Amino acid sequence: MQQGWKGEPGSMTVTWTTWVPTRSEVQFGLQPSGPLPLRAQGTFVPFVDGGILRRKLYIHRVTLRKLLPGVQYVYRCGSAQGWSRRFRFRALKNGAHWSPRLAVFGDLGADNPKALPRLRRDTQQGMYDAVLHVGDFAYNMDQDNARVGDRFMRLIEPVAASLPYMTCPGNHEERYNFSNYKARFSMPGDNEGLWYSWDLGPAHIISFSTEVYFFLHYGRHLVQRQFRWLESDLQKANKNRAARPWIITMGHRPMYCSNADLDDCTRHESKVRKGLQGKLYGLEDLFYKYGVDLQLWAHEHSYERLWPIYNYQVFNGSGEMPYTNPRGPVHIITGSAGCEERLTPFAVFPRPWSAVRVKEYGYTRLHILNGTHIHIQQVSDDQDGKIVDDVWVVRPLFGRRMYL
């Protein structure tokens, strides 16, 4: 079971899977025990996995509406043929004037999901308002005729059924044109979760697919379609800075990294940064032009924080306070939540644009305190929850917000 937020204030979408067609209903209320007086109906769609067995699952979606902001609800989903256990979630607050707390990570995996027990504890203690899972889920959801996908969804259920679990696609989701990813998660917009944006407190958050640059056999036109959508969304977000001062992006494969492997981000002209053939639909210029503040990435199984950067040049705010009024976007690569592929080593000599590198399992906490302050912390699971990186990004409200 997974909760997604479709961007509509006072709403929450619940998604679950059955093996036979049944009605789609959620019963919910405010009391932890006793009857659940409220009802919401939804629909299901059959999902046929691309594997040899052509397994058929039924994906149910029900949207709860008219929820009271910040109030905790108890719910269960199912039908007369069977009900889930009870879960609880807190409806998102409305408007821009509150301080969302997020858990951010990618590359979790159904085997060796190192950070999950700690994330579950954090979630049960009410530490987060939402999760951003930056691609690469189960390694791979399609495997064993999509049974690995089922197992992964059961694994994340204690977190994903308790708060909005917001996603973007990674390379490990690509089989059968990302069909398991599109079917199992419910994101805003009408693009099957490949790219979308939403507002959360003082931030506008944009999720997109880096994978359109790599799996061109699913359609080169997707690169252009996404790029045009990104430009239009960024234009609108930039005009709305008075209401939502921060613009944050999340995509799976980074533009930069200093890891010791042959991934795209280790190349000087990475595809995500410079585009196809080093010149078509590159994202660095676009994000710089519209003053994106924070770019969240994964894919490398490590944690790396960059100095504010554009075109390999460091644009620190000042020597003493590099992240106060930075003159370029801040990049965070957080792909060390788990995964059986193990951690990714770093190149021996750090790059001049790399500020902090941590080769330990863990995940990132992101606290969007208000319109001027964002707090980023890296939690090391290897060191029993120790905070191994801690930085504030500070931007005065005046003079927002183009770097050019």
Side-chain angles (χ1 to χ4, degrees), residues 197 204 206 228-238:
S197 65
H204 180 71
I206 299 172
R228 287 184 173 159
W229 176 87
L230 281 167
E231 179 142 49
S232 139
D233 193 77
L234 283 163
Q235 279 170 353
K236 281 184 248 166
N238 217 13

Side-chain angles (χ1 to χ4, degrees), residues 220-376:
R220 293 177 76 93
H221 67 285
L222 293 174
V223 179
Q224 185 188 56
R225 251 183 66 203
Q226 174 174 263
F227 188 88
R228 287 184 173 159
W229 176 87
L230 281 167
E231 179 142 49
S232 139
D233 193 77
L234 283 163
Q235 279 170 353
K236 281 184 248 166
N238 217 13
K239 286 185 183 131
N240 196 35
R241 293 274 197 180
R244 316 263 179 191
W246 297 103
I247 298 180
I248 298 171
T249 61
M250 61 186 259
H252 182 61
R253 297 197 214 204
M255 291 184 194
Y256 298 89
C257 65
S258 66
N259 295 86
D261 56 25
L262 298 173
D263 284 350
D264 182 58
C265 54
T266 64
R267 296 162 187 255
H268 193 273
E269 309 282 286
S270 63
K271 278 186 192 164
V272 178
R273 189 174 85 82
K274 295 302 281 182
L276 301 178
Q277 288 123 41
K279 59 179 188 292
L280 297 172
Y281 310 114
L283 295 178
E284 184 175 44
D285 285 350
L286 182 72
F287 289 178
Y288 185 74
K289 178 181 176 183
Y290 291 103
V292 170
D293 297 289
L294 179 61
Q295 301 183 22
L296 304 170
W297 311 96
H299 191 58
E300 302 303 314
H301 300 161
S302 49
Y303 170 82
E304 185 165 17
R305 163 166 61 83
L306 308 191
W307 298 116
I309 188 174
Y310 171 68
N311 198 22
Y312 284 95
Q313 276 187 280
V314 171
F315 283 103
N316 289 351
S318 67
E320 302 74 51
M321 294 188 290
Y323 295 97
T324 295
N325 223 4
R327 293 169 297 125
V330 177
H331 292 246
I332 300 285
I333 302 156
T334 174
S336 63
C339 153
E340 76 272 20
E341 290 182 352
R342 315 308 298 164
L343 293 164
T344 315
F346 286 107
V348 178
F349 300 108
R351 309 290 186 253
W353 37 261
S354 178
V356 170
R357 312 192 299 178
V358 179
K359 189 192 162 192
E360 291 172 2
Y361 287 111
Y363 53 93
T364 308
R365 289 183 184 143
L366 181 63
H367 187 188
I368 308 165
L369 194 70
N370 53 33
T372 58
H373 288 68
I374 284 182
H375 192 196
I376 300 162

Side-chain angles (χ1 to χ4, degrees), residues 3 72 85 87-90 101-105 115-132 155-165 363 365:
Q3 286 203 334
Q72 183 169 277
R85 71 175 180 86
F87 297 95
R88 58 182 77 186
F89 74 95
R90 195 171 292 283
R101 296 157 308 158
L102 302 153
V104 187
F105 55 85
L116 198 57
R118 193 172 305 282
L119 280 162
R120 282 175 66 164
R121 284 201 297 278
D122 285 0
T123 301
Q124 279 147 14
Q125 288 165 16
M127 280 185 71
Y128 307 121
D129 299 295
V131 163
L132 306 183
L155 209 58
I156 63 166
E157 188 178 67
V159 175
S162 307
L163 76 191
Y165 199 91
Y363 53 93
R365 289 183 184 143

Side-chain angles (χ1 to χ4, degrees), residues 37-57:
L38 305 169
R39 302 271 186 281
Q41 317 287 332
T43 55
F44 69 82
V45 289
F47 166 62
V48 180
D49 174 59
I52 197 164
L53 294 185
R54 289 283 187 267
R55 266 182 84 226
K56 195 177 211 179
L57 317 175

